[in-house]
Structures are given as C-alpha cells and as structure tokens.
Amino acid sequence: MINKIKWKKILLVTVTMISVMIVVAGSYGWNLVTSTFTNIQENIDRKDSEKRLASINFDEGDPFSMLLFGIDEPDEDEGDPYQRSDALVVVTVNPSTKSTQMVSIPRDTYTEIVGLGDKDKINHSYAFGGTEMTIRTVENFLDIPIDYFVRVNMEGFEDMVDALGGIEVENDFDFKYRGTHFEEGKLQLNGEDALSYARMRAQDPRGDFGRQERQREVLQILIDKGASFSSVTRIEEILSVVEDNIRTNFSLGDIWSIQSNYRDALNQIEEHQIAGEDREMDEVYYYLPDEEKVQELSEVLKEHLEINNQSTEN
C-alpha cells in the first residue's frame, strides 16, 4: 500500500495541481489563470439533488465531497464510439476534524446506473449520460452527496507529462504493455509511456488496485514537478494543457478558499477500498461489491460529512 505521507497532495489531485499553478503563475499576472478557469468551468444542475440538503460555505468551513474522475477517448479502431470514466475517486474533506477520506471505486463495479434503469459497470455511466449521470450513479452507490467534480481527459495526461519534461517512477515489477517493456526499477517516462504505465492492469497481481496505486504514484510525481517549475513558458504550456483537458464546477474563489482554509485537513488521511469480488457474467468481467461493507463505508462518509442526522432517502 502506498505510504500515507505521499497522499497529502494526491487527495486533492487536480485542485492542488491547479492551486500550485495559481501560486507560481501569480508572479506573471492573474490574467492567464482567470482565463483558464473561465474556460474549464462546467456547471451542472445540482438543485434537485436528493442527497445534499444544504449548500456548502467554504468560508465557514463546511465539510464537502468531490468526485475526481478521468475519461478515455473513444476507441473507434475497436468499433467503440463511447467515452467512459477511467478512474473514479470520491474525496470527503472535513476541516473541523482536520481529516480527509478517500475512496477509489473500481471501474468495473457492478451497480445501478441512475437514469438508465438497469445495472452495469459504474464506468459506463459517463457513456450513457455524461458527468451528471456519473455523479448521480456514484451518489446512489455510496448514498452520499457529491458536491463538486473534477473531470480529466486521460489523453491530456500525456501532454501534461511532456509539458513537465517527463517523469521518473519506481517500478515494482517487470512487465510489457502495448509494445513497451517496463523493467523493474527506476524508469524515465515520456507522456505516452507514463500513460501506459498507469493504465496496465492485467499483468498486475493486485489487479485494479495495483493500477490505482500506479496512477496515484504518477499523479504525485506530476504534482511535485508542477510545483518546481517557475518558467513562464512552462506555466503557459501547463495552463494550456489544463484548459484543454480539465472540467470542473469549482470556481476560482472555491479553489482559493480550499487552499487557504482546508489545508490542515490533509494532516489526517484515511484511505478506503471497495470490498467485493471479481465475477464473470455472460462472459463479461464485473467487480461485485459487498453491499454490507459498502453500507458501512457509506455511514463512515456520512459522519465525516456531518450529514448523519439528515435524511438521504430518495
């Protein structure tokens, strides 16, 4: 399991990355940053959400939740025209308890797709109904509100790595993936190879959980490298990648408040996995969650969001 110290920046992956860029780019003026944020805004209709009974006030330190997820480009060469979510991570933050909870949801989790009226892999929710259906499906699965989201186009991941001059990773075991040999030990990766390194699952003895750890390792390195660059040329290139590949309903003011008022919440971090088992149904692979364990996790998250005394029934 990845060292919890390394989670400090990972937990607010894109929020922290953007915040770092704001601080560095501030030396060159705010026009670049405000323009970028204007262009990455995607407001979704949350007024009729049955899970959230009150609005979030960052100035008052309200606990909040967010969904971080990546999306794949359609694989039209394979006859698949649909985008699907590649990684789903739910984060809850409570500044009063100075703590953050993080839940990685396996992409093949078998659950109800809200708005479709049927069960399927949770990552198919984006193909069927975009960001809103993805959020409602995750809300239904964990029975908690999702207040904010950050969506990342996984193809833009390559551009971010290349914009930062590549990354160095520590590979645990030897494997080959998509024509590239990843030897055990330290590896210097460009954007294309870093994406392959982060995506491989079949050869990992830990399966999807192993892939999640490699994805978090790469994101940690990206954030650290992003914080170390101060060249205006690099900042413009990085902001351009963000503008092309990230969408969120956070405002610039929200990001600034979180960076200023919620920093201590990273001092106590707890990571959760979705308990369950692999199963094949009709020759299709699924991950079947343990419903009792998911309910227990839901109660933990509700308490962390301070909504245990509120009804969240549909």
Side-chain angles (χ1 to χ4, degrees):
M1 191 61 63
I2 191 169
N3 190 309
K4 287 191 177 182
I5 294 176
K6 294 182 179 180
W7 282 95
K8 284 192 173 183
K9 293 177 183 176
I10 296 173
L11 293 176
L12 298 176
V13 176
T14 310
V15 174
T16 304
M17 187 184 297
I18 294 173
S19 298
V20 167
M21 290 188 289
I22 290 173
V23 172
V24 178
S27 301
Y28 305 96
W30 281 84
N31 288 339
L32 282 173
V33 175
T34 55
S35 173
T36 298
F37 262 88
T38 297
N39 292 329
I40 68 174
Q41 289 289 293
E42 182 179 308
N43 294 318
I44 60 174
D45 184 8
R46 309 297 295 134
K47 292 180 181 179
D48 60 347
S49 173
E50 298 170 330
K51 300 296 181 184
R52 171 57 73 184
L53 304 181
S55 59
I56 303 299
N57 189 320
F58 290 119
D59 292 331
E60 294 182 2
D62 289 344
F64 72 95
S65 65
M66 64 178 169
L67 175 65
L68 309 177
F69 69 105
I71 56 171
D72 282 322
E73 287 298 317
D75 192 350
E76 295 184 359
D77 291 340
E78 297 294 328
D80 186 353
Y82 300 107
Q83 285 184 306
R84 293 180 173 86
S85 54
D86 183 52
L88 292 161
V89 180
V90 173
V91 179
T92 63
V93 186
N94 188 322
S96 297
T97 59
K98 296 182 180 180
S99 62
T100 301
Q101 308 274 349
M102 181 174 185
V103 181
S104 296
I105 305 176
R107 58 182 290 170
D108 295 324
T109 297
Y110 188 64
T111 190
E112 178 186 353
I113 307 299
V114 176
L116 183 67
D118 201 357
K119 285 189 172 184
D120 205 331
K121 296 183 180 184
I122 198 167
N123 74 318
H124 288 186
S125 57
Y126 188 82
F128 293 130
T131 298
E132 288 199 32
M133 186 174 286
T134 300
I135 289 176
R136 293 183 187 281
T137 297
V138 172
E139 283 185 327
N140 183 70
F141 176 62
L142 292 175
D143 194 28
I144 64 167
I146 298 298
D147 301 309
Y148 295 93
F149 77 92
V150 179
R151 188 185 77 234
V152 183
N153 186 333
M154 298 302 285
E155 297 302 318
F157 175 89
E158 296 183 30
D159 296 333
M160 179 63 75
V161 173
D162 290 334
L164 292 171
I167 61 172
E168 184 179 81
V169 300
E170 184 70 39
N171 187 28
D172 292 338
F173 60 96
D174 188 283
F175 68 90
K176 293 182 179 179
Y177 185 68
R178 293 188 174 181
T180 301
H181 183 195
F182 296 90
E183 297 180 351
E184 182 178 353
K186 291 187 182 298
L187 300 174
Q188 185 69 30
L189 305 178
N190 61 20
E192 182 178 2
D193 288 342
L195 183 60
S196 293
Y197 173 80
R199 277 183 168 172
M200 190 279 293
R201 178 184 65 182
Q203 300 174 59
D204 195 312
R206 300 159 297 177
D208 202 40
F209 295 120
R211 174 170 60 179
Q212 289 170 16
E213 287 195 19
R214 275 181 279 108
Q215 289 174 344
R216 293 191 290 262
E217 174 196 12
V218 170
L219 287 168
Q220 173 71 53
I221 296 168
L222 281 175
I223 293 167
D224 287 341
K225 289 202 71 172
S228 69
F229 279 101
S230 58
S231 165
V232 66
T233 303
R234 288 291 192 186
I235 293 302
E236 289 180 341
E237 188 174 356
I238 291 168
L239 287 175
S240 177
V241 172
V242 170
E243 184 173 319
D244 290 342
N245 297 288
I246 292 179
R247 294 295 179 267
T248 183
N249 61 336
F250 279 114
S251 69
L252 182 56
D254 294 337
I255 297 294
W256 185 255
S257 295
I258 292 170
Q259 180 76 358
S260 302
N261 303 330
Y262 289 70
R263 189 187 302 269
D264 289 343
L266 296 179
N267 289 336
Q268 182 179 337
I269 298 160
E270 187 168 1
E271 172 195 355
H272 303 277
Q273 304 287 359
I274 300 296
E277 63 178 4
D278 299 337
R279 185 176 299 178
E280 188 175 297
M281 297 186 295
D282 297 327
E283 299 184 348
V284 177
Y285 167 84
Y286 295 96
Y287 185 77
L288 270 59
D290 183 320
E291 294 185 7
E292 183 175 338
K293 295 296 184 182
V294 172
Q295 179 60 35
E296 291 175 4
L297 175 58
S298 175
E299 294 303 318
V300 170
L301 297 176
K302 288 177 186 176
E303 182 176 357
H304 195 239
L305 290 170
E306 300 180 3
I307 60 174
N308 259 346
N309 295 325
Q310 299 180 12
S311 172
T312 59
E313 293 297 324
N314 289 336

